[in-house]
Amino acid sequence: MATIDTNAVAGKSAAIGAKTQAVIDVFDRYVVPNYRRFPVCLVRGQGSRVWDAEGAEYLDLFPGWGCNLLGHCPEPVVRAVQEQMAALIHVPNTWYTQPQGEWAKALSERSFGGQAFFCNSGTEANEAAIKLVRLRTDGKRYKIITFQGGFHGRTMGSVSATAQPKYHEGLGPMVAGFQYAPHGDLDAVEKLIDEYTGGILIEPILGEGGVVPAPPGFLEGLRRIADQRDLLLVFDEVQCGCGRTGKWFGYQHFGVTPDVMTLAKSLCAGVAGGAMLTTVELAKHLRPGMHAATFGGNPIAAVAGLAAIEMIEQQNLLNHVDAAAALFRTRLESLKAQCDAVRGVRVIGMMIGIELSIDGAAVVQACLEKNLLVNCTQGRVIRLLPAMTISPADVHEGCDKLSDAILEVASRS
Ligand SMILES: *Cc1c(COP(=O)(O)O)cnc(C)c1O
């Protein structure tokens, strides 16, 4: 087992294996240091397991930061990509390809019947949505209301759409026209609307914000306001979409349909891909020449996206998610009952937030020492985005180790 202590994270532990250290040395010299990384070099993955360069095995409850929806290297996706790779890797959007059309159809049939624009990431999908809102009125109604606690990406438009000042530090000036309302506050939204407002952008379930679903009635209220004031309602489902929550899309839990929806992360089960879906009526505002993504909808992403949808249906994974979620809920609620440091447990399918009263980073570290991979967001929320394919045995093993880690950290704080 790779022993990793806090010092190791600071990069000075003797416990780092030689192979891993050699990779770290190359990074230190040649890779821009814009990420905080754990001193672990991963080389292989299968399902909910990954292995590092020294051969140590980990249980991964946060596979691919939510991108690896079906676990590491899901067989149908690997096969589809391998076959497509040998036939045609990439052609630009000046040509038609069958996979892109089939992929758009599959997404449309499982959502609100619209059309898809394809790109490669979540932030790009949101840029497309922002442009669509502006183009609908030829830029006259350019303002978009977004929410505190939301996260929409790192390009200048999406980061401007993200309310938290910590994402803006040193980057100003932001793109004009974004206004931030407190999450859950319909009155505040009404007050922000003026003749220049064109849309409302929200995550139906906050991801980076700590796995927080919209409060009861909130999305319904936004839908009503959008209809009354002729605004586009845009749902950012980059984290909660594509089956993770036990329904195809997060909005389907609330019975509120958006005009525009953005997808990425899990969309292609670990292959890079993003999409913006909108109605046929609205789609024509994104007219030729106004937006593009060179790699968008490429055959590799398309067959991966299609294979993911097929695998979810053939293996009945939406139902499996409900069962796995129930197991997580039972285990985590019983941990909460026995440990004061656990303040709240939120389980929406394979999107799980455990609110702590203690430092989450220390818990992540304690988990890593037990070869369990989890994430912390908002300082005190342990976030799990497990694979939809996770087995009951892995849920139990993960909850055993996570419980031990939380109890350990709580006992020293
Ligand atoms: C991750 C995320 C994004 C940004 O996606 P990238 O692919 O990193 O650009 C946007 N919105 C939400 C809700 C996300 O979770």
Side-chain angles (χ1 to χ4, degrees), residues 121-123 126 151-153 203 208 236 238-239 264-265:
S121 65
T123 200
N126 285 327
F151 178 79
H152 303 294
E203 288 170 86
E208 305 304 309
D236 179 343
V238 169
Q239 194 157 148
K265 287 205 169 84

Side-chain angles (χ1 to χ4, degrees), residues 237-411:
E237 295 224 12
V238 169
Q239 194 157 148
C240 67
C242 300
R244 167 170 302 290
T245 64
K247 294 191 188 288
W248 278 115
F249 300 104
Y251 78 82
Q252 292 162 344
H253 289 275
F254 300 89
V256 176
T257 306
D259 302 301
V260 182
M261 175 166 69
T262 56
L263 304 171
K265 287 205 169 84
S266 57
L267 182 62
C268 305
V271 173
M276 182 204 67
L277 307 189
T278 189
T279 64
V280 176
E281 185 61 28
L282 288 168
K284 54 178 180 277
H285 293 290
L286 212 61
R287 23 179 223 280
M290 293 314 296
H291 197 53
T294 304
F295 271 119
N298 68 76
I300 303 303
V303 298
L306 278 167
I309 291 170
E310 262 167 41
M311 177 170 162
I312 288 169
E313 288 179 346
Q314 280 170 6
Q315 301 189 12
N316 202 13
L317 292 178
L318 294 173
N319 287 334
H320 176 74
V321 159
D322 290 339
L327 196 50
F328 269 114
R329 200 173 293 115
T330 306
R331 290 292 316 259
L332 295 171
E333 287 293 346
S334 86
L335 173 65
K336 177 167 173 261
Q338 91 180 79
C339 177
D340 289 340
V342 180
R343 289 286 158 86
V345 171
R346 298 184 285 275
V347 180
I348 309 119
M350 292 300 94
M351 199 170 174
I352 298 168
I354 304 147
E355 182 110 34
L356 303 177
S357 61
I358 52 175
D359 175 30
V363 172
V364 172
Q365 186 60 39
C367 287
L368 184 53
E369 283 159 18
K370 300 177 194 308
N371 288 24
L372 175 70
L373 308 187
V374 303
N375 171 259
C376 169
T377 187
Q378 299 294 312
R380 287 170 188 256
V381 179
I382 298 300
R383 177 174 44 168
L384 313 178
L385 296 171
M388 290 177 79
T389 50
I390 193 165
S391 68
D394 281 350
V395 175
H396 281 300
E397 182 183 329
C399 289
D400 286 345
K401 289 181 168 175
L402 179 59
S403 302
D404 288 351
I406 291 174
L407 290 166
E408 260 170 52
V409 174
S411 74

Side-chain angles (χ1 to χ4, degrees), residues 108-126:
S108 177
E109 287 173 350
R110 285 157 188 79
S111 57
F112 47 84
Q115 296 180 323
F117 162 80
F118 291 109
C119 50
N120 312 290
S121 65
T123 200
E124 278 178 275
N126 285 327

